[in-house]
Amino acid sequence: IALLFLVEHTYRSSAAGLGCAARGCSAYKAGQSNVRSVSPEPPLQRDAMTEPRVEIESLHFSVGILGISGGSLLLLVNGYSHSPSEALIHSTALGILLLIIAALLAYAGVRRSLCHAPLFVCLCLTISALWCGSGLVHILHGEGVVQGEEGLRGALIPGLAAFTLALLVIGVVGVLCKEVVLSIIAFSVCLACAHQIAGLYDPSFGQGASAASYLLVCFLGAYFGTGRLLSYITKGKVQLPGTRSEKKAKLTAAQAQDRNDVVTAGLVGNLLSATVLACPLLGVVPALVPGQVPWLWTAGVLQLGVCILSYRAMDTLAATFYGFTAVLKFAEGYSLLLPVWELQVLFSPVPLPTVFAVLFFMLALFSTQKSLADGLYQLFYVAYCVALAAQPRGFFQGGTQGVQAAIFVVSAVMLLLTLHNMACPWRLPTGEGLLRSLLSRTNLLTLRPLDKDLHAPYLGYSKYADAEVLGHGCSVLSAFAITATVGSEGPLAFLVLPWVVVAGGLLQLLCGSVAFARGKTLESTAFILYGIMWAVWGLTRYGGLYGATRGFNVAVGIICFLLFNCFITGGALFLSKAWFAYALTFQLILVSFLLDTLGTLPYGYDIGVTIIFGLVSFYCFLANLFNSSFQSPQLPLGTPFFRLSGYGGGGEHCPHVPARKATSVQQIAEIMKNGGTCGMPTDTVYVLVAACNRPDAVEKAYKAKVHAQDRPMSLWISSIKQLEPARHLLNPVLWDFMEAAWPSSISMVIPRGPWMDCFGLKDSAKYIGTPTSIAIRNPDCTVATHLIDLVGPIATMSANPTGEADTTHHNQVYAKLGDKVDGVLCDGPSPENIASTVVDCTKIESGNIGFFRVGIFPKSQVLAPASTSSPYPSKHYCADCKHSLTLSPAITE
């Protein structure tokens, strides 16, 4: 395993070097032939980087298949050598080994989920969950928590039954899609699970048959996994017959959102928990026992992973749904732990399941825009929450277990439909697009188009969709959970702890992390702070610790949270009225916590403020869900009470568009042609640019910086070809130096002269450079050169006020320059945090050059030593230049 990870790291490094070499080769050829492509991505770079991507995917396939083969070998040896009297491998050791292999399979499945391989992803994550849950059960059995063969049988059978059906579905879909290897592996592990169930009743029958199934997986996985690995290591020179990987086209943003590969793993998690809870009702096991908790919590962890990866796939609805179901899985597992604490009575607060049912209903209603089947499937969870509200001991009573039996069946059907439609070229009908077609006939509601830009944050782009829907939904759950009144039975007898700690704590932290990744500083701070508060308060108040620690010590901690939330409430004044109400009502909840610790809480105050906070959170949940689904109309969230001239203040008149789209570059080009100034990413830091043929725009950019007179603007071109008409006016040494050094992050200061007339600068010339010299540069950035090709040579300056740090993110451009910028091309963080190297070429005709600024390119890369034995240590040659160049003595010192 360590060797595989080392090989991947080494190959990634070489692939990155290959890409850099491809870019350098392309740039050098462009300089020599005076021809430069203006396509968004050079063809050579695409060709060079396509192979590494395919090979990396082949490595992940090898890791997954070899991991399945290794786990099968472990279970093969243990099963074949197992005797009723003594096992070959101790249960604890077997469980730990299965956990290690499960983690490896999860890694392979997650990595392949970033490309379109739904069947392989589903198989890896399903077997990973199978061995994770069974490994935990074996550890509990080895440590004496699960006692005897009877206890082991009651703990293992529900999970094995669920995965038998799930793997059967995967195998059937594999046959339909002609994925022979994956279908054989799925069928073999499915038979092994079925035989293992039989072996729990009769060891003489099941264990040998289970070992035979795993033997087939071992041979098949070893052959194909080794074949792919050999092909990866030898870069395709050695390939075993039948193991060649096929190149697949990379999905577009719309296709990636439509094909969220990890959704099938979430359905497997629902199938698993439904099996565990339905087995007692069907008589498969006598009752729910603590030994079944690993299956439920494995399903919960699996669905948390599905939630995160769904945000990565820009699927907000799926992420929210599986975030909610993960909360249910942890609550179900928590309820089964009560016998460990010798608590036999579990009361569920009635308001919470009712509110949860409302949340599921709203989510199901909006999920019909994806497909009618998705909306109907989520309605089963509405019925499940209603059953929990109707029965005080919901998880242990027949009503909820009957609903879970129905969820078991419908989850299996949904797994078959979803996996088939993802993996097969022909699709089964699920009502996809039905709602969109119905709404297209009316003007009342307009659905948003399924585009990646749907989830693009203000000021740029993000790899994750917006998580505010889930964050506000979890706030609703936490608020209504703490309305439960603790009676004489104690706090542990009430099903409150998982709702507050998991929903309010864990998922709020997740939403805060996603918001931070999207550049939402205030929102991420609020979610993370509230998540910590819910987790701490839930563990303290409903974990049995509050009675002994009530007093001044707890009050000090709550006062700290109050002070932190004061800053968030103040910041929300600049965000929206809805966020201000959200932060302010949470402040009231913190006050109720403080009064409770001091013993001065007025009667009914805590219930009142939590209900108010819950209603505000529900409105935020509904508004974000509605506004992310419909383009018009929009539920109002309120404008800010105060507006700043910097960040967040120019969304209406200063477009921030992603630099990855050609239409965005064209939009910025039109702004510049009309006399606008724009922020632009480069191969170093962000710059402020204006078209040289618009003197008014150049003057505006020149005056945008405070005290800009001592920081002259520079001239940028897209190719040395643009200097060809003035080549006879330039020194031959300078021309050779330009050809050798460009395109790159090197700016050259050269004397002013008649050569500038070829650019038609006119009145703009007085703002660019100094009276005697001018800095000129050909950047090594596709976006920059494409924009220059559209508008002509541009005048540039750093996108920051004089004296401040360089601008290294598109968020900072408008924040620093305000209304002085008319548009921003957004490309995230700068590739470098250091500006370009400025070379003094005013005396290059005499062989002398100097450095005004040593930036990203050090002197050693600009100049190559002529000879290590030369008596003139200051004499150098340009790396690709034919002329001898000497550093100025002052500069050398």
Side-chain angles (χ1 to χ4, degrees), residues 126-146:
T126 300
I127 298 180
S128 174
L130 166 64
W131 288 345
C132 177
S134 59
L136 291 173
V137 171
H138 281 295
I139 291 175
L140 294 178
H141 181 254
E143 297 302 314
V145 178
V146 176

Side-chain angles (χ1 to χ4, degrees), residues 3-4 7 11 55 58-63 66 221-241 243-245:
L3 178 62
L4 289 175
V7 168
Y11 199 90
E55 294 298 332
S58 180
L59 175 64
H60 298 150
F61 180 86
S62 303
V63 172
L66 290 176
Y223 178 78
F224 280 92
T226 303
R228 289 286 184 91
L229 186 61
L230 284 175
S231 176
Y232 175 81
I233 294 175
T234 62
K235 294 184 169 65
K237 296 179 181 178
V238 178
Q239 290 184 341
L240 298 181
T243 62
R244 182 179 180 85
S245 59

